[in-house]
Amino acid sequence: MKYCHALAAFAVLTTATVLQAEEYTHKASGLRFTLPKAWSCTEKAGRITITNMDKSLTCVGDVIPKESAKAIFADIRKFLDSLEGFDGVQVTDGPKKEKVNGLEQAWYEGTMSGQNAAGKQEEIEWDMTIISGGKQILFLIGIGKLDENEKAYDEFFESIKKAKDADE
């Protein structure tokens, strides 16, 4: 399956509003984060899509029920196998949990295979992170050149905190 199909499976956001501010509050989760310089965030019906400037990395997120979060981490292989566009998936790390700004971040990461726009097979990096401690649980999936964007990607996750006013 083509790489772009994997992203399309998550980002059904063709008519979303682009948010220009570096600070952003995701109302549904009650969480606030800082976008790395030149990154953008779009939102539609609570679902956010974050991309870096050259679009080599995309992170899509939305709130999920606690039961879904538990099911994903109880059987990550079953969850990954259910995702259209995730072919040849390898889990390279996780599950890991850490406290960041008083919130629990639990994650897996790995690689998958896909075709780029030129039709050439390539390895694609992914990670899945569940953030709890806000108003609702936020589930984020990152796909693309994560290692090449590691510093900015890590800074994004380190910036996530509870919004002072969840109604912002």
Side-chain angles (χ1 to χ4, degrees):
M1 178 144 288
K2 293 196 181 277
Y3 171 62
C4 60
H5 289 162
L7 289 177
F10 297 108
V12 187
L13 301 171
T14 55
T15 60
T17 306
V18 175
L19 305 168
Q20 299 298 327
E22 285 192 8
E23 286 284 326
Y24 181 73
T25 298
H26 183 241
K27 292 180 186 177
S29 66
L31 300 176
R32 166 170 249 145
F33 54 82
T34 303
L35 292 172
K37 187 176 180 178
W39 285 32
S40 65
C41 179
T42 58
E43 181 174 357
K44 183 176 182 180
R47 181 177 291 168
I48 55 175
T49 300
I50 300 165
T51 56
N52 66 346
M53 187 169 63
D54 68 1
K55 303 205 184 315
S56 64
L57 182 151
T58 299
C59 185
V60 178
D62 205 344
V63 296
I64 60 172
K66 186 176 187 174
E67 300 77 33
S68 297
K70 285 182 178 182
I72 290 167
F73 274 77
D75 192 347
I76 189 67
R77 177 57 52 197
K78 179 179 177 183
F79 176 74
L80 292 170
D81 289 345
S82 74
L83 297 176
E84 185 178 333
F86 271 51
D87 299 320
V89 177
Q90 298 293 319
V91 176
T92 59
D93 202 3
K96 298 268 178 115
K97 291 183 181 182
E98 60 186 331
K99 283 280 190 182
V100 179
N101 299 320
L103 304 170
E104 183 175 276
Q105 294 189 14
W107 52 269
Y108 278 96
E109 64 184 33
T111 60
M112 64 183 191
S113 60
Q115 290 183 347
N116 62 21
K120 184 178 178 181
Q121 197 72 11
E122 68 180 1
E123 183 177 89
I124 301 163
E125 300 160 325
W126 62 268
D127 83 353
M128 297 181 185
T129 305
I130 293 176
I131 303 168
S132 56
K135 190 164 65 172
Q136 293 188 60
I137 295 172
L138 180 62
F139 180 56
L140 296 166
I141 300 176
I143 301 173
K145 297 182 178 180
L146 301 178
D147 287 344
E148 288 181 23
N149 294 282
E150 184 174 8
K151 183 178 182 215
Y153 198 61
D154 286 349
E155 287 172 1
F156 162 71
F157 279 97
E158 290 168 6
S159 79
I160 299 172
K161 58 188 174 271
K162 272 188 176 180
K164 290 180 183 166
D165 178 3
D167 295 324
E168 286 184 42

